[in-house]
Amino acid sequence: APPLTPPPIDATPAAAALPSADEEEEEGATAEHPFGGLRFVSFDAEELPRLRVSQRRHQLVASAVLAQRDELLAAYQAADRGATGELPVDMWEEETRRVLRTPPMLLPPMRCFLLGRDWGGSPTVRYQAFLGRFRLAVPQLAPLLPYRDYLVLLLANLDAKRSGAVSSRQFAAACKALHSQFGAAAALCAKPEEVLAAMGMAAGRGSREGSI
C-alpha cells in the first residue's frame, strides 16, 4: 500500500469552513470542525457591572430579612388585624421596607425574588411562608450572622493573593479578632475549630497547607 501523505499545513477541510457573517445568528453562531463544534455567544460586556450590582443588592436584602426575621414577623402580625396569616402585597411591602429601612424603589423589582416562584403574582402574601424561605443552612452559626460581613472582610484582607482561600491559622486569627472586638456576642469565634466543625469542615481540610 502506498504510504499515507499528510495534507499540507495550510489545507483546510471542507467541514472546517467557518460560516459567513450572513449565516451567523444574532445571539451566537456555531462553527463546525472535524473534532466537534464551537459555540460563540454574544453578550453586552457593559451589562456585567450592572448585573453584579443587582446581585449584590439582592444578597444584601436577603441577608437583612434573615437577620431580622423576628422583627418582621412582629410587624406583619401587628398589621394583620384579622390574624389571617396573610397581608396584601402593598402592605407586606410597606412593613418590610419599614423594618429593613430600605429605599421605596428597592423592593418592587425584588418581589419575585423575595417571595419565590410559588407567589405567582398573588394579591396577598402569606408572611409565615415568606419568612420560612430565609433560614440558615447551618443553624448553629446563627449567633455569627450579625458579624458575617466583618468576618468576610477580615478574611479578604488576609487573602493577599486574592485566591479565595486562607490558611487555617489565618481563619483562626480572624475569628479570635472578632471575639476580641465583640466579646460574648461573638463567643462562638473564641473556638474557631467549632466554627469549622459547624460548617462540616476540619481544620486543614482540602490541602496540605490547611487552606480554607
Side-chain angles (χ1 to χ4, degrees):
L4 296 176
T5 303
I9 294 178
D10 59 351
T12 303
L18 294 175
S20 65
D22 294 337
E23 297 172 341
E24 293 187 359
E25 299 175 0
E26 182 178 353
E27 294 298 328
T30 301
E32 296 296 333
H33 291 268
F35 303 104
L38 295 176
R39 180 70 183 172
F40 300 92
V41 179
S42 60
F43 63 93
D44 184 0
E46 295 181 357
E47 185 66 22
L48 293 180
R50 289 192 290 270
L51 179 61
R52 292 192 185 99
V53 169
S54 175
Q55 290 174 333
R56 180 59 177 162
R57 284 176 178 170
H58 281 63
Q59 181 185 27
L60 289 173
V61 172
S63 298
V65 171
L66 180 62
Q68 299 181 66
R69 284 174 299 175
D70 293 341
E71 293 87 343
L72 285 168
L73 178 59
Y76 296 151
Q77 289 176 333
D80 182 14
R81 307 273 176 149
T84 62
E86 296 183 345
L87 288 176
V89 173
D90 291 341
M91 184 178 293
W92 162 84
E93 187 175 293
E94 180 181 350
E95 293 299 319
T96 302
R97 183 167 53 82
R98 182 178 62 80
V99 173
L100 301 185
R101 299 180 182 179
T102 59
M105 73 290 295
L106 188 59
L107 287 182
M110 293 188 181
R111 280 184 181 179
C112 291
F113 164 74
L114 290 172
L115 296 174
R117 296 179 179 177
D118 295 338
W119 172 56
S122 170
T124 60
V125 174
R126 299 184 62 84
Y127 50 82
Q128 290 277 14
F130 160 67
L131 293 173
R133 298 187 63 241
F134 298 86
R135 55 184 180 272
L136 288 176
V138 183
Q140 300 94 310
L141 296 178
L144 293 185
L145 183 61
Y147 313 104
R148 183 194 64 175
D149 289 341
Y150 294 104
L151 180 58
V152 171
L153 181 59
L154 285 170
L155 296 175
N157 287 335
L158 292 171
D159 181 17
K161 297 181 179 179
R162 299 293 182 262
S163 63
V166 295
S167 67
S168 299
R169 183 175 300 177
Q170 288 173 320
F171 183 83
C175 286
K176 290 178 179 178
L178 276 183
H179 180 250
S180 175
Q181 179 68 31
F182 296 104
L188 186 58
C189 284
K191 297 181 179 179
E193 64 277 5
E194 293 186 5
V195 178
L196 290 175
M199 293 191 297
M201 301 175 63
R205 178 182 176 184
S207 73
R208 293 180 180 177
E209 296 78 14
S211 62
I212 298 169

